[in-house]
Amino acid sequence: MEEKMERNNEVLILENISATYDSGEARLPVLKDISLRLKKGEFAALLGPSGSGKSTLLKIAAGLIRPDRGRVLLNGQESTGRVQKVGYMPQQDLLFPWKTLLENAALPLLAAGMAKKEASSRVRELLPIFGLEGFARYYPHQLSGGMRQRAALLRTVLIESSLLLLDEPFAALDAITRENLQEWLLSVLERFHRSVLFVTHSIDEAIYLADRVYLISERPGRIVLEQPIELPRPRSRGIITTAPFLSYKALLMKSLQSKD
Amino acid sequence: MKKWANTAKRSLPGALAVLAVLLLWEALCRVADVAVSKLPPPSAVILSLYHNASLLAEHSRATLAAVAAGLSLSVLVALALAVFMDRHSWLKQALYPLLIISQTIPIIALAPLFLIWFGLGLTSKIVVVALVCFFPMAINLVEGLEQVDPETINLLKVMQAGPAMIFRSAQLPAVLPYFFSGLKIAATYSVMGAVIGEWLAARWGLGVFMLRSMRSYQTANTFAAILVVVVLSLLLFKLTELAAWLAMPWHRHKSVYPEE
């Protein structure tokens, strides 16, 4: 009974996931025996060096890739290797250059069968929250990097799913824009109540955003540390200089260096 | 207004060069007293153009009909083939070499066979045009479909978009620039293809007019027909550019944030 309760409370479960990448010449092990449970409303960060298979793990969670071993459970249902309706946001913003901001953001609604007019007004309602008011008719190349990222996030949030899979959404941005967007993301999540699996290679970003950090090793990626982050919310930018933040940072840095 | 002035400025050297060649040609014919049946001066060509205007218009209409039919046929077949080749990699591997071989066969040598296969009518002409246009279309479309970022397709799959929506939203627009660069080449070749077709056997068309003029040593008329072919080809080229401009509005807008 208790076990069942717990399962219902978990949006995403990854069980003993192992994956290899077939480069044509050799099969490289990418992920090794990864297990994690994402609770409802939880923000989990996958922290690790580049090439540790973090992006592959997100694709496996979305069902875009079938792992060699292991299971994926989404809202208690097995979904291994079957594409699921989840808020997946790939590494580049991937806004379609031939669609305006409005048309890009409306895509998930149209895919769900909503009428064009209704989808447009839904998107327009949300534009101010995403700091994009007045830019509906702009094409992606006319927007700044930060705006594109916010537009991509708006599109991702409009995919009707309780789960967000975000693959280094702020990695390509300059430091100042990135920090602003981190704060903004937290405020947006307070409104939308989603569970988030967030890939990053920035220790600060992981601690600042997440309730729980999974430290992933270099290839083949394994979870070397699961660290709950017990910092109060809402978090302001100032938190990154406080003692608890810095002790988490020291701990994660040490673990990153000592492994492999 | 400024844009027009710039365009005029840029095309000025080209126009002057053409004018210089024409003047030189005219002078040469007059000074060396070349027989009009050997090399008519530009003035004679223009005169012939004037005298045969209605006849040339009639022949042009026949040629353009073959061009329109052949070009459309080649676009449709190339599009269907490219989509199939993109969906099934084994089909691409099988057909790609054949495609290239098909282009190396001299159409002039093959064309008499078309008479046997398709008869004296319009069909032979259309087939020649289609064959000439098919290769640039097919190669460009296959290449364009190869360039589509698989992550964009993943993104749409995660939104649970069907194959039709994926083709419409991600693949087709991504291929349009390739489509139009293929079409530019195909359109310019197409008139030449029709003329070759008409040399073989036809009752109407610029090729027919050329042959008749040549056989009766009315070289000025031949040149007039050549001039019409050149102008028609250029017009088709410009028309394709216009179509590309209309079909890809996102290429027209300048970036607001030029730093990216």
Side-chain angles (χ1 to χ4, degrees):
Chain A
M1 186 66 191
E2 211 181 294
E3 156 98 41
K4 203 178 175 198
M5 282 278 289
E6 198 154 47
R7 286 223 151 177
N8 280 340
N9 196 25
E10 276 157 347
V11 176
L12 175 72
I13 299 174
L14 301 177
E15 271 180 9
N16 309 103
I17 299 284
S18 294
T20 49
Y21 171 72
D22 196 350
S23 72
E25 286 157 25
R27 289 178 76 85
L28 297 167
V30 179
L31 295 168
K32 210 175 151 190
D33 204 26
I34 293 215
S35 296
L36 64 83
R37 287 159 176 262
L38 184 70
K39 291 198 195 72
K40 201 172 257 174
E42 191 177 40
F43 193 122
L46 294 169
L47 173 65
S50 311
S52 55
K54 302 182 299 280
S55 301
T56 309
L57 194 60
L58 280 200
K59 287 205 181 86
I60 288 171
L64 289 164
I65 296 180
R66 178 177 280 280
D68 294 343
R69 233 168 297 142
R71 297 202 304 159
V72 180
L73 284 105
L74 197 69
N75 297 315
Q77 301 273 315
E78 160 128 28
S79 64
T80 322
R82 280 181 289 123
V83 182
Q84 298 300 304
K85 192 173 187 178
V86 288
Y88 170 63
M89 179 168 156
Q91 209 161 40
Q92 315 86 23
D93 61 58
L94 282 190
L95 294 169
F96 294 104
W98 41 84
K99 288 186 182 288
T100 60
L101 196 166
L102 184 77
E103 290 165 341
N104 265 295
L107 269 176
L109 302 174
L110 298 179
M114 195 185 271
K116 214 170 178 178
K117 212 169 169 185
E118 204 186 335
S120 295
S121 67
R122 239 340 268 295
V123 172
R124 280 184 191 280
E125 271 167 38
L126 292 174
L127 285 179
I129 302 167
F130 286 78
L132 295 166
E133 203 171 12
F135 289 95
R137 302 233 156 272
Y138 281 59
Y139 285 99
H141 72 269
Q142 299 176 286
L143 303 170
S144 73
M147 291 168 105
R148 280 208 296 270
Q149 229 50 29
R150 287 198 299 266
L153 209 74
L154 167 57
R155 178 174 67 184
T156 312
V157 165
L158 284 174
I159 301 173
E160 205 190 337
S161 162
S162 53
L163 177 63
L164 290 181
L165 302 169
L166 309 179
D167 193 354
E168 302 200 29
F170 308 139
L173 303 173
D174 62 274
I176 295 168
T177 312
R178 189 187 314 147
E179 285 175 10
N180 287 338
L181 282 193
Q182 287 165 0
E183 266 177 77
W184 166 83
L185 176 65
L186 289 182
S187 70
V188 166
L189 285 173
E190 269 168 42
R191 178 187 286 261
F192 287 96
H193 307 293
R194 302 287 168 90
S195 316
V196 184
L197 196 56
F198 186 99
V199 165
T200 179
H201 57 243
S202 154
I203 296 177
D204 283 343
E205 187 169 75
I207 303 171
Y208 179 62
L209 294 174
D211 300 309
R212 191 177 295 271
V213 174
Y214 293 92
L215 196 63
I216 312 263
S217 68
E218 268 178 49
R219 194 156 49 209
R222 289 172 294 112
I223 293 178
V224 287
L225 182 71
E226 178 185 339
Q227 179 62 51
I229 306 291
E230 278 150 5
L231 296 173
R233 288 187 191 273
R235 295 175 188 169
S236 67
R237 182 77 353 222
I239 210 168
I240 65 165
T241 53
T242 61
F245 189 99
L246 292 173
S247 68
Y248 283 128
K249 188 169 175 178
L251 178 75
L252 288 171
M253 278 173 80
K254 207 175 126 213
S255 309
L256 256 179
Q257 281 156 3
S258 66
K259 295 291 166 185
D260 308 276
Chain B
M1 267 334 267
K2 206 174 167 187
K3 204 178 153 199
W4 281 109
N6 275 338
T7 314
K9 211 173 175 182
R10 254 186 294 122
S11 24
L12 194 64
L16 284 177
V18 171
L19 197 68
V21 168
L22 288 177
L23 285 176
L24 201 71
W25 178 357
E26 181 81 35
L28 209 71
C29 289
R30 283 173 192 243
V31 171
D33 203 18
V34 183
V36 180
S37 60
K38 274 189 187 154
L39 182 68
S43 56
V45 175
I46 287 165
L47 229 73
S48 149
L49 212 54
Y50 175 75
H51 288 309
N52 297 299
S54 62
L55 195 59
L56 277 168
E58 198 79 11
H59 284 297
S60 298
R61 208 168 300 145
T63 302
L64 281 177
V67 163
L71 197 57
S72 316
L73 185 68
S74 76
V75 166
L76 288 178
V77 176
L79 192 62
L81 194 70
V83 168
F84 270 116
M85 281 166 76
D86 186 63
R87 295 250 163 103
H88 311 284
S89 59
W90 58 270
L91 201 66
K92 181 163 21 179
Q93 282 154 11
L95 292 185
Y96 206 84
L98 278 180
L99 244 157
I100 293 169
I101 290 170
S102 81
Q103 181 63 10
T104 60
I105 297 170
I107 294 237
I108 282 274
L110 210 58
L113 279 175
F114 294 158
L115 283 188
I116 302 171
W117 296 341
F118 305 111
L120 285 163
L122 193 62
T123 320
S124 291
K125 263 207 292 193
I126 293 173
V127 170
V128 175
V129 175
L131 268 180
V132 168
C133 298
F134 172 71
F135 182 75
M137 286 312 306
I139 289 288
N140 272 287
L141 284 171
V142 168
E143 200 174 307
L145 282 168
E146 271 174 8
Q147 304 299 321
V148 177
D149 185 349
E151 276 285 67
T152 60
I153 294 170
N154 279 344
L155 194 69
L156 287 163
K157 278 186 187 164
V158 160
M159 297 174 191
Q160 308 283 296
M165 185 171 172
I166 290 176
F167 184 73
R168 209 161 9 94
S169 313
Q171 292 175 303
L172 191 64
V175 159
L176 279 182
Y178 293 85
F179 172 81
F180 281 111
S181 50
L183 192 61
K184 270 186 210 168
I185 301 171
T188 0
Y189 282 180
S190 62
V191 184
M192 190 195 71
V195 168
I196 293 175
E198 285 157 0
W199 278 354
L200 294 167
R203 257 169 291 156
W204 282 98
L206 289 166
V208 175
F209 183 82
M210 264 182 224
L211 273 191
R212 282 185 197 154
S213 321
M214 267 192 271
R215 280 181 191 142
S216 51
Y217 295 101
Q218 287 173 315
T219 318
N221 288 359
T222 311
F223 272 88
I226 291 172
L227 191 62
V228 173
V229 166
V230 169
V231 169
L232 285 180
S233 302
L234 285 178
L235 274 178
L236 282 175
F237 181 85
K238 282 287 164 194
L239 212 62
T240 312
E241 277 192 337
L242 179 69
W245 188 82
L246 289 173
M248 299 186 288
W250 61 93
H251 276 190
R252 285 180 233 157
H253 297 269
K254 284 269 179 299
S255 178
V256 178
Y257 295 90
E259 92 275 17
E260 266 128 354

